[in-house]
Amino acid sequence: MIDGPGGMWCTQIGYGREEMAEAIAEQARNLAYFSPFNNSNSTAARCAREIAKRAPGDLNNVFFTTGGSTAVDTAIRLVHFRNNLLGRPEKKKIIPWQKAYHGSTYLAASTSEKERDRLWLDKADDLANFLPDVNPLYRAPGQSEESFLRENVSDLENAIVALGPENVAAFIPKR
């Protein structure tokens, strides 16, 4: 069996396998859902501790969300919230790359630039300033990977200068 579409829009799990259904049921008995914005539980705390132990440097805060789109939305909202608290309400611009996909929720979709979505769906046009696509297959003929990388870094630096560093809240890499 090939689980082709699983992951981005749905997750195929179980396929009627009793051991998987029982593992899911056991988790449901032990781990109730809590909104990550104001509650937690012992299982999430243990998981967060393990993630923090493996994270590089002093990265030791873990914030769980319900999925990738909500993770992107939450990150954008948190960086906007932080800048508001610091008295920088103009520091809101997000810099993503063209042809990137960051999710289907409103803010995440506003920082995505897949043609199929951008043509038909509304978005927060004032939020994102897109950089040229970074797919190395489309670099200029004869251009080295090093040169292409330098060009991409320069695109980011130029965008920050053009927008004004005081207006740029975050950069979202292509995934």
Side-chain angles (χ1 to χ4, degrees), residues 11-75:
T11 300
Q12 305 297 333
I13 188 162
Y15 299 110
R17 291 178 52 200
E18 189 61 35
E19 66 273 19
M20 291 190 82
E22 187 53 41
I24 292 167
E26 183 63 26
Q27 281 300 305
R29 285 190 285 274
N30 293 323
L31 179 62
Y33 174 78
F34 287 96
S35 168
F37 287 98
N38 55 12
N39 292 305
S40 190
N41 55 62
S42 59
T43 303
R46 284 193 305 275
C47 184
R49 182 175 43 243
E50 290 302 316
I51 292 169
K53 283 192 323 193
R54 290 167 172 76
D58 63 353
L59 296 176
N60 57 13
N61 290 299
V62 177
F63 186 86
F64 294 109
T65 66
T66 56
S69 294
T70 55
V72 173
D73 270 32
T74 300

Side-chain angles (χ1 to χ4, degrees), residues 1-2 4 36 43 48 74 82 103 108 116 148 150 160 169:
M1 182 179 297
I2 296 175
T43 303
T74 300
R82 182 174 188 274
R116 66 175 188 259
F148 185 67
R150 281 193 303 274
I160 292 169

Side-chain angles (χ1 to χ4, degrees), residues 11 20 45 91 107 120-121:
T11 300
M20 291 190 82
K91 198 168 182 75
L107 291 176
W120 305 106
L121 301 172

Side-chain angles (χ1 to χ4, degrees), residues 13 21-22 33 76 83 85 87-88 97 110-111 144 155 160-161 164:
I13 188 162
E22 187 53 41
Y33 174 78
I76 292 170
N83 283 320
L85 286 177
R88 304 184 300 211
W97 274 305
S110 294
T111 63
S144 70
D155 287 341
I160 292 169
V161 169

